[in-house]
Each structure stands twice: as C-alpha cells, then as structure tokens.
Amino acid sequence: MMIRRRINDNRQVNSEPEYEKEKLDAPLIKSRPLNWKLLPVIALLWIVLVHVFERTVPASVISKCSWDNWEGWKFPESSHRIVLIADPQIVDDYSYPKQSRILNFFIKRLADNYLHRNYELVNSILDQNTTIFLGDLFDGGRYWDDDQWLEEFNRFNRVFPKKETRLDIRSIPGNHDIGFQTIHPHVLKRFAEHHGPSNDYIVLGNHSIVLFDSISLSHPDTEINSKSDAFLSNINEMITNDYPRILLTHVPLYRFPDTQLCGPKREKKDKPFPLQRGDQYQTVIEYDISKRILNTIRPSLIFAGDDHDYCDITQPYENNGLAREITAKSAAMTGGIKHPAFQLLSLNTNDNGTETFKTEICYMPNAFHGVYAYLAFLIISSIILKNSKLILLNVLFGLFIVDMYHRTI
C-alpha cells in the first residue's frame, strides 16, 4: 500500500501582486507671508495721522479764537486777557458707576487727554494773562475720603498744570466739589485749603473780580454759610467803586426762563433753562439769595458754570442796575454737549470807549473725530497686514504713538 505523503507548503502566497507604494508627499500648508515691509509704512502713517488729530487740527481750531480776531480794541496792548474754564469735572469712579472698570479706565484716559491737550494748546496759542476755573473741578470730590481726594487733586494738577508765567485761580467750588444740600464742614475746608479761599476778590485789568461761593451761602447751616454771608455783607467795604465789577460763581443766579432767553448760542435751543433741584444739585440759586447777591455786589458782568451749556441773559437789580450773566459751556468732552468750549474775557479800561470788557466763546476741537479716524485706520491697516502677529504690533504701535503725543504736549 502506498502512502501518499502530504506535503505542506508553508510558503505564503500573496493573493495580490506586490506593488511598490510610492510615498506621496502631503502638500505643505503655507502660512500667510509676514508683510514686514509694510510695517514701516504703516508706522509712518500712524505718526502722521496722530500728529494731524492731536496737534494740527486742535491748533488750527484754537487759533481761530485769537484775541485779535474778536477783541477790536484800539489799544490791545493794554488789555488783560482771561481764560475761563467751566466744569472740567474730571471723570472718576462716581461718574459712570454701572460701567465696567476697564471701560471707565479708557473713558478716564480719553477725557483727561482731551482736557490736557486743549489746556496746553490754549496756553501756548492764546497766551492769556490769567486762567480762572468756575467750579466742578472734580466729579465725585464731595464723596472722597482724604487719601482718595488727594490722589484726584494731584491728578487734576497733572491734567491742568499751573503755569509760572500767569495767574491761576481754582478756588471757586462747585456742587460736585463740596455738595449742595449736604455739605460737610471738613469737605468745604479741605477744598479751600488746597485751592484757596472760596470767597475773595482781585483787581485785574482795572476791574474788580469777585470770586463767590454762592453754594455755601445757600446752605441753612451757619457753620457752612457764615463765611460767604460775612464776605457778602462786607464786600463793599473791601473793594473800590472806581472799577467795574465782575462776579464769578458756580451755580447761575435765578432767572425767569420764559422771558430771560439764553440766546442762539445755546445748544438746547428748544428747551428753556431748567429750574430744578435734586441729589446734591440745584440749577439756580434761590430768588431771594440771588437778589441779595446782585443788589450787594452790583456787577456789570457775571460768569457761572454748572449747566454745561451756554446761556446769555440780562439780570436787573436795584436802582436800574443791569448785569449781563453768562453761563459758560463745559470744557469737558463728557459734559453732555456736542461742542465743549472755554470762555475768553478781555478787560480794557484804557481804550477810551464805553466798553470795558469783551467776551467770546472759544470752541474746542471735536472730541471724537480723532478716535473715529484711529479706529478706521486700525481696521484698514490690519486688513492689509493680514497676519495676527503684525496686527498685534500694529495695535500696540498705534496706542504707543497716541500715548506719546499725549504725554509730550
């Protein structure tokens, strides 16, 4: 019997032919090229743009206020020129309590830079003899403790540094500085200690300038109103009758809005001047107190602040007396008006004419045109650069240039 051997062939048989696989290189995903060559061009454009909106445009706007453009004195060299600044009301944590701290930080920086730049350019271009603030230097000054108040006081002096070459008066308190219905003696004393007496007088350009705290006089507490009351009672024994008198205060005197119209330069032309009171404010001094102030001081001209918008009326008083009262516009971009301004006053009793003073609004540059231009250029330049690293550099450089222009004015 033959035994058939079964041979197991362990060789593996490929069912498919073996092919050499070609290694296919995956296509390289190329990142967008860095447009480094564009950076110097964009940087230069940033400098030009910022220079235009932080120097050229503001200087051009303020130059229109040149004294020679509106004074009209025959002998301008004998005039005494004054810049009045109303309600700068520097932004603080009390200004917008419902907003985030980050947003408040940027608003504060923007508002400070706007005030500081305009102040420096006005001093440089107009070169006035005297600068006088009409109150509401701060926003939450009436609420701060001493440490916080001192910080804000130093900040205010950085925004408005005093100039050695001219007289600077900051002693008139506003309701945001000391309060109105509630005034603490310490707050009132603190303001006077750092800014000077709230009731005072000074002769400038052959005019008696009376600085008066009408807010304290309106307070029922004798501890608060005594100094203003005594000053008003004795004012005619202290100042001469030889010079015209100009009253400077913060809250406007009482008026009848239906008949004493503010005039065409007021932004809110469709609304009469408000007669209101609320938490720590009152839009006018009470009628009886206003009459006492007018009949005692007998001014030819009155300047007040508080309302933020312009108002130009005539105030009658005893013995056929008349005073022109001007409520000056706020200087701040956060004052709720479209066109912030400084008020200019020129005094001249040596011009052989009937007028001894002239006054004019000096409008400040638009607060937002520069911001809009910076944002537009940032968007356009970022689209051109395309790369995220370069866009970040673009943002940082733009902020750096703007900051340098604000710091170096």
Side-chain angles (χ1 to χ4, degrees):
M1 180 176 178
M2 293 181 63
I3 299 174
R4 187 177 291 179
R5 292 183 179 178
R6 192 171 181 178
I7 300 173
N8 290 328
D9 192 349
N10 293 326
R11 290 178 299 177
Q12 293 181 353
V13 179
N14 292 329
S15 59
E16 295 181 3
E18 190 171 341
Y19 296 98
E20 290 187 5
K21 295 181 179 179
E22 295 182 0
K23 294 181 179 179
L24 301 177
D25 292 333
L28 294 176
I29 300 174
K30 296 183 179 180
S31 60
R32 290 174 177 171
L34 297 180
N35 297 320
W36 292 104
K37 294 181 180 180
L38 290 176
L39 273 183
V41 177
I42 290 177
L44 180 61
L45 290 175
W46 265 120
I47 295 172
V48 172
L49 183 68
V50 173
H51 185 84
V52 167
F53 282 99
E54 300 298 331
R55 294 293 187 274
T56 306
V57 171
S60 175
V61 171
I62 292 171
S63 294
K64 295 177 182 177
C65 303
S66 174
W67 307 95
D68 295 337
N69 291 344
W70 57 271
E71 279 179 323
W73 299 122
K74 294 179 182 178
F75 306 103
E77 65 278 0
S78 62
S79 62
H80 187 96
R81 293 162 170 171
I82 301 173
V83 170
L84 300 171
I85 303 176
D87 302 276
Q89 211 166 313
I90 58 173
V91 175
D92 58 37
D93 293 339
Y94 288 98
S95 302
Y96 307 103
K98 295 182 180 180
Q99 289 184 167
S100 68
R101 296 183 68 86
I102 295 177
L103 185 57
N104 269 347
F105 170 80
F106 282 105
I107 293 175
K108 184 188 296 185
R109 287 294 299 273
L110 191 64
D112 281 5
N113 291 335
Y114 179 78
L115 287 168
H116 177 68
R117 180 199 66 196
N118 294 342
Y119 173 78
E120 292 292 343
L121 288 174
V122 164
N123 277 275
S124 174
I125 295 171
L126 299 184
D127 193 26
Q128 69 273 19
N129 302 107
T130 301
T131 304
I132 304 177
F133 290 80
L134 295 176
D136 272 3
L137 312 185
F138 310 124
D139 196 4
R142 60 199 175 200
Y143 300 121
W144 299 329
D145 60 35
D146 288 348
D147 291 338
Q148 189 178 10
W149 192 93
L150 191 58
E151 287 182 11
E152 295 299 313
F153 171 77
N154 292 330
R155 175 181 153 221
F156 182 87
N157 288 333
R158 290 193 297 271
V159 175
F160 299 103
K162 291 184 178 181
K163 306 299 180 182
E164 295 181 358
T165 57
R166 57 182 53 91
L167 179 64
D168 190 295
I169 298 173
R170 310 176 176 205
S171 60
I172 300 172
N175 56 298
H176 282 266
D177 302 316
I178 62 172
F180 200 105
Q181 287 83 6
T182 302
I183 301 177
H184 297 287
H186 174 69
V187 171
L188 186 62
K189 180 182 177 183
R190 180 178 64 188
F191 187 89
E193 285 178 347
H194 286 81
H195 291 292
S198 300
N199 301 289
D200 203 357
Y201 69 93
I202 186 172
V203 175
L204 298 174
N206 292 337
H207 288 71
S208 295
I209 310 296
V210 180
L211 315 169
F212 189 62
D213 177 11
S214 57
I215 296 176
S216 294
L217 183 66
S218 303
H219 201 274
D221 188 347
T222 55
E223 186 178 4
I224 301 299
N225 66 39
S226 58
K227 288 187 177 180
S228 292
D229 182 67
F231 178 84
L232 188 61
S233 297
N234 298 308
I235 184 67
N236 288 310
E237 299 174 8
M238 295 185 287
I239 63 176
T240 178
N241 290 321
D242 296 337
Y243 299 142
R245 298 179 180 183
I246 298 175
L247 171 63
L248 304 181
T249 189
H250 178 67
V251 178
L253 300 183
Y254 193 89
R255 74 277 316 278
F256 298 94
D258 293 336
T259 56
Q260 292 173 292
L261 304 179
C262 288
K265 295 181 181 179
R266 185 172 178 82
E267 291 186 19
K268 303 169 185 175
K269 297 181 179 65
D270 57 333
K271 297 180 180 179
F273 195 94
L275 301 182
Q276 299 172 350
R277 66 163 58 94
D279 181 29
Q280 294 290 54
Y281 79 90
Q282 189 169 302
T283 57
V284 294
I285 299 299
E286 295 290 350
Y287 177 82
D288 290 340
I289 298 175
S290 297
K291 284 303 174 188
R292 181 189 171 196
I293 293 171
L294 285 167
N295 293 332
T296 303
I297 298 178
R298 301 183 60 80
S300 301
L301 181 63
I302 305 166
F303 286 102
D306 188 68
D307 182 66
H308 293 190
D309 202 356
Y310 189 82
C311 187
D312 190 346
I313 65 170
T314 300
Q315 292 279 25
Y317 53 87
E318 289 178 351
N319 300 321
N320 298 318
L322 290 175
R324 181 183 178 188
E325 181 176 351
I326 293 175
T327 305
K329 292 173 74 74
S330 170
M333 62 178 287
T334 54
I337 54 174
K338 293 181 180 179
H339 306 291
F342 290 8
Q343 189 72 29
L344 307 185
L345 174 63
S346 179
L347 308 177
N348 195 338
T349 58
N350 301 319
D351 212 55
N352 300 323
T354 56
E355 287 185 298
T356 64
F357 62 82
K358 294 184 180 181
T359 185
E360 186 70 25
I361 301 174
C362 181
Y363 290 101
M364 294 296 103
N366 186 285
F368 299 102
H369 285 174
V371 176
Y372 297 152
Y374 302 152
L375 290 175
F377 182 71
L378 178 62
I379 293 171
I380 294 171
S381 57
S382 297
I383 292 173
I384 293 172
L385 289 172
K386 299 179 181 179
N387 183 274
S388 59
K389 293 180 181 178
L390 296 185
I391 291 173
L392 178 60
L393 287 175
N394 185 32
V395 173
L396 294 176
F397 188 78
L399 291 173
F400 172 76
I401 293 299
V402 172
D403 187 59
M404 285 300 100
Y405 264 80
H406 289 154
R407 289 176 183 271
T408 56
I409 189 168

